[in-house]
Amino acid sequence: MTERRRTLPTAHGRLLRAAALATLALTLAAAPAGRGGEEELLDDRVRHLREVLRGAVESNGWRSARYSVLALSLETGDTLYARGARDLLAPASNMKLLTTAAALRYLGPDFRYQTFLLADGPVEAGRLRGDLVLYGTGDPGLSEDTGSQLFEALANSLARAGISVVEGAVLGDGTFFSGPLLGEGWNPEDLNDWFTAPSSGLTLNENMVTLRVVPSATGGTPAIHTIPEGADVPMRVTARTGGGGGRVTIRRNDPTQPITIDGAIAPRGREVWRQMTVPDPAQYAASVLETVLEARGIRVIGGARTVAGPSASRVTGRSLWAPGVAAAHRGPRVLARHESPPLLDYLKIVNKKSHNLFAEITLKTIGRVVAGDGSFAGGSAVVRSFLANEVKADTAGLRMLDGSGLSSLNRISAATFVDVLRHMARTDLWTLYWETLPEAGNPRELRRMYQTPAAGNLRAKTGTIEHVSALSGVVRSVNGERILFSIIANDVPTTWGAKRIEDRIGVSLASFERPFDPAGAELRLASDAAPLDSTAASGPRSHTVRSGENLTVIARRYGVTLNALVAANSRLSPRRLMPGVTLMVPAPERSDDPTPPADRADVQAHKVKSGENFSVIARAYDVSVNALLEANPDVNPRRLQVGQEIRIPASTQG
């Protein structure tokens, strides 16, 4: 479909719209008293939408395909379309919607992971007479860059403490989590790839290692280098420099087996590189830390080792003490620690990047913090309880074996995803949850549906595994009605074709139009909101911002223009519209223009401030960059001037 363009209303356009509204008014007036006439009109539009969506689902003619689809109006509760809505299917990465919702509920957006360096023994004459313990609580963000910086900082901490020798080992302890590192039902053919990395309490570089095979002298064994340097990964090297044997191959059939490097490489041949998952994340992190310490001049006599399980850990389940605490307290003492960014930053990676490792660690963290069981099963049990007791979803037959959706054995229905979205929309966490979802038409997020009414509007989580495709999220209709939807397809011959169907459904929902009163819907949704005082409608009012609201929603509710609302709250930045903030709402303006005030494309303007660009301005007013560019065709976005006036189109976002 072509994009629905928002242009400045012309006199001819106003007349056409006025005529259409007059026709609608006459139709309703001629209908029988009560609800019948309006419902007939609404039903016709919904009936047409259902025909369009049914046609989209059936367009490929796949007899083998199974669908679970549901589209529901958040504002009115109307079911706009349903097909097998409660059928249990494999959801692929849509599972991340459940994981991130439960994480916001139980951990909160400001939760942070801690990574500790501990001394398990006394320090005497510059020697640590015991082990140096690297203990993780699950931080998935220790990358090659941040990990190296962290390890350098930890090495500096030891040096400042006067420690030059570690008589024991560097112990990697990932026992904050328990159970298997890999999920049940994961495709064995994928287990060397980054998207199936094992999830441990101690993680470095997303539990991936890069191998470099460098030629040596003819007849010799090639040099094998790792990135990061010093990574201890089991390998079996039979490759030779020169001679026959074909090119060098780096392979592994099972992630628990050593990596095999064989074949031949020319003396002056190109290096061979490959990235693979590591079998033991805690051992991997410990070995890299040992290498950093040795380079810093701190000798480690016992090498690098890992802790087998929680019962063997000197940290898990025990109290930690700082070095200055009296020696009477036995056990490891904290030398240094590292704190992660807030959890919300990671949840955006989970949903926008569809990052499986971050999702699995989030699930295990939920289980560990809430139920004391940091395993796949422990986290899944907490999420299932969340669905049953808080979301009030039907969990009969539901199967959740991981937090990412990699398992082909997971079973969830479209109705469950819509239930979760609806539940989150009625909590104070909705805005944060919505922010984690990929935006349609955004080249860095959900690139699909570009230049359609869904672009800059629809937000949804994708999902893809073999023969499975899914898309679940929220989109606004032409009239601003929020529609929750979930589309799950199993046994499809091509996921590419399934995604074309998802796009058609998403664009159709964004193009859906029916008479809709945002003010009335807002009141029906908010049980604690007082009804509008009709006697005060002609004078100034105040409004307390609720979760999920933006200036467009509020302007529509009170029948005022965006420009008037901004002018009445000149000290408030639209970018910082937080729940609980009180706005002054001006009296509605009288106008002969039949266009709803908040939808008039020429009612709001913005004067460019120092440091602003189109992206900053678009975020400030909850519009897409594309919409902003189209509303300002004569403006060069690369040459914005301070004080320059920019037209702001009506918001298309949630």
Side-chain angles (χ1 to χ4, degrees):
M1 296 183 66
T2 57
E3 185 175 7
R4 184 181 300 275
R5 296 181 178 271
R6 298 180 181 271
T7 57
L8 301 180
T10 62
H12 179 64
R14 289 193 183 99
L15 288 173
L16 288 177
R17 188 158 185 171
L21 290 174
T23 301
L24 173 61
L26 289 173
T27 302
L28 293 177
R35 300 167 52 194
E38 184 177 0
E39 286 196 348
E40 280 185 17
L41 179 62
L42 294 176
D43 287 348
D44 284 343
R45 299 189 183 198
V46 173
R47 189 178 300 113
H48 175 69
L49 175 66
R50 289 175 179 173
E51 289 295 330
V52 170
L53 299 189
R54 181 166 59 249
V57 172
E58 297 174 353
S59 61
N60 282 329
W62 296 329
R63 294 184 178 180
S64 64
R66 293 179 293 148
Y67 274 90
S68 181
V69 186
L70 179 62
L72 181 86
S73 170
L74 175 61
E75 323 293 3
T76 67
D78 294 348
T79 296
L80 301 177
Y81 179 74
R83 177 183 176 129
R86 298 200 176 277
D87 291 352
L88 298 167
L89 301 180
S93 283
N94 274 205
M95 184 67 79
K96 295 179 174 75
L97 289 172
L98 308 188
T99 304
T100 51
L104 282 172
R105 165 63 180 87
Y106 294 116
L107 304 178
D110 297 321
F111 175 90
R112 295 174 187 263
Y113 291 95
Q114 306 282 337
T115 302
F116 298 93
L117 185 66
L118 306 106
D120 192 8
V123 177
E124 299 173 355
R127 301 172 72 91
L128 171 57
R129 301 192 183 279
D131 296 324
L132 187 67
V133 183
L134 180 63
Y135 186 85
T137 62
D139 187 353
L142 295 181
S143 66
E144 189 175 320
D145 293 330
T146 60
S148 298
Q149 294 171 5
L150 168 63
F151 288 175
E152 291 287 349
L154 296 181
N156 291 336
S157 297
L158 288 186
R160 285 194 299 270
I163 298 174
S164 58
V165 177
V166 177
E167 293 186 351
V170 174
L171 286 182
D173 192 335
T175 61
F176 187 75
F177 294 154
S178 58
L181 301 177
L182 303 174
E184 181 183 355
W186 290 8
N187 190 337
E189 297 180 0
D190 296 334
L191 296 182
N192 287 323
D193 297 321
W194 71 270
F195 56 85
T196 59
S199 50
S200 166
L202 183 58
T203 287
L204 175 66
N205 203 32
E206 298 178 7
N207 293 333
M208 298 295 297
V209 63
T210 299
L211 303 178
R212 291 175 52 218
V213 181
V214 180
S216 60
T218 301
T221 301
I224 312 298
H225 300 277
T226 65
I227 301 174
E229 186 178 351
D232 181 8
V233 181
M235 287 181 282
R236 185 172 63 87
V237 182
T238 60
R240 289 291 179 267
T241 303
R247 64 179 185 177
V248 165
T249 60
I250 304 173
R251 55 190 173 83
R252 181 179 61 188
N253 295 328
D254 187 292
T256 63
Q257 298 174 350
I259 298 170
T260 298
I261 304 175
D262 54 18
I265 187 170
R268 296 185 179 179
R270 290 184 177 180
E271 298 178 359
V272 178
W273 291 51
R274 183 170 180 186
Q275 189 180 57
M276 304 181 82
T277 57
V278 299
D280 187 343
Q283 175 72 25
Y284 170 54
S287 63
V288 173
L289 176 57
E290 180 201 6
T291 301
V292 172
L293 293 177
E294 293 282 0
R296 183 68 173 76
I298 299 173
R299 183 184 174 200
V300 180
I301 296 175
R305 293 189 290 109
T306 189
V307 178
S311 61
S313 173
R314 294 272 290 158
V315 182
T316 297
R318 293 170 171 81
S319 298
L320 302 182
W321 306 99
V325 177
H329 294 291
R330 297 182 179 181
R333 297 169 183 273
V334 177
L335 299 176
R337 70 175 181 174
H338 171 78
E339 187 173 76
S340 77
L343 180 66
L344 182 62
D345 291 358
Y346 286 169
L347 298 186
K348 290 179 181 179
I349 294 173
V350 171
N351 283 337
K352 290 181 183 289
K353 305 298 182 184
S354 202
H355 204 298
N356 295 329
L357 175 62
F358 279 60
E360 303 305 356
I361 286 179
T362 300
L363 180 71
K364 290 185 174 182
T365 304
I366 294 169
R368 184 69 165 84
V369 171
V370 177
D373 182 358
S375 65
F376 287 108
S380 297
V382 174
V383 175
R384 188 185 185 95
S385 175
F386 168 68
L387 295 175
N389 299 322
E390 299 195 33
V391 176
K392 306 299 183 184
D394 181 4
T395 59
L398 181 148
R399 296 187 71 190
M400 182 176 186
L401 299 178
D402 60 24
S404 67
L406 264 177
S407 177
S408 60
L409 304 178
N410 290 320
R411 292 292 181 269
I412 311 286
S413 70
T416 297
F417 286 115
V418 170
D419 284 341
V420 170
L421 289 163
R422 179 166 53 180
H423 172 78
M424 294 301 289
R426 292 174 173 173
T427 71
D428 291 339
L429 296 169
W430 172 243
T431 301
L432 301 179
Y433 187 59
W434 178 85
E435 286 176 357
T436 71
L437 302 180
E439 179 187 72
N442 187 322
R444 293 181 300 277
E445 297 180 9
L446 180 56
R447 292 185 294 247
R448 294 148 48 188
M449 293 172 270
Y450 179 68
Q451 290 189 336
T452 73
N457 170 7
L458 181 146
R459 292 241 181 173
K461 182 71 199 74
T462 57
T464 312
I465 56 176
E466 190 173 9
H467 301 304
V468 174
S469 183
L471 187 73
S472 300
V474 59
V475 62
R476 283 191 183 273
S477 71
V478 173
N479 297 83
E481 184 175 2
R482 290 176 293 177
I483 301 173
L484 309 177
F485 67 90
S486 179
I487 311 161
I488 309 174
N490 281 196
D491 300 327
V492 294
T494 162
T495 56
W496 181 89
K499 293 186 187 307
R500 301 290 73 77
I501 291 174
E502 294 164 8
D503 291 352
R504 288 180 61 183
I505 293 174
V507 172
S508 296
L509 293 175
S511 305
F512 177 58
E513 187 171 8
R514 67 173 175 177
F516 166 67
D517 179 10
E522 289 290 327
L523 290 175
R524 284 193 293 273
L525 268 178
S527 59
D528 57 343
L532 284 177
D533 183 356
S534 59
T535 62
S538 60
R541 293 152 288 176
S542 65
H543 173 81
T544 301
V545 177
R546 293 193 293 272
S547 178
E549 290 185 328
N550 57 36
L551 289 179
T552 301
V553 169
I554 298 168
R556 283 174 178 158
R557 174 178 177 177
Y558 290 96
V560 299
T561 65
L562 287 170
N563 202 40
L565 191 59
V566 171
N569 298 274
S570 58
R571 295 185 179 181
L572 179 69
S573 169
R575 297 175 61 188
R576 298 178 180 176
L577 196 62
M578 303 299 292
V581 172
T582 298
L583 299 179
M584 294 304 299
V585 181
E589 299 176 4
R590 295 186 178 275
S591 172
D592 295 331
D593 186 352
T595 306
D599 287 340
R600 296 177 197 157
D602 59 342
V603 300
Q604 190 172 15
H606 173 82
K607 288 189 177 180
V608 177
K609 301 181 181 67
S610 177
E612 289 186 330
N613 55 34
F614 262 36
S615 294
V616 170
I617 298 169
R619 285 197 301 271
Y621 291 93
D622 289 324
V623 300
S624 69
V625 173
N626 287 339
L628 197 60
L629 289 169
E630 290 189 357
N632 298 273
D634 299 328
V635 175
N636 185 339
R638 296 184 178 181
R639 296 182 178 178
L640 291 183
Q641 302 293 322
V642 175
Q644 184 176 3
E645 193 168 273
I646 304 296
R647 289 191 296 273
I648 307 297
S651 171
T652 59
Q653 299 190 25

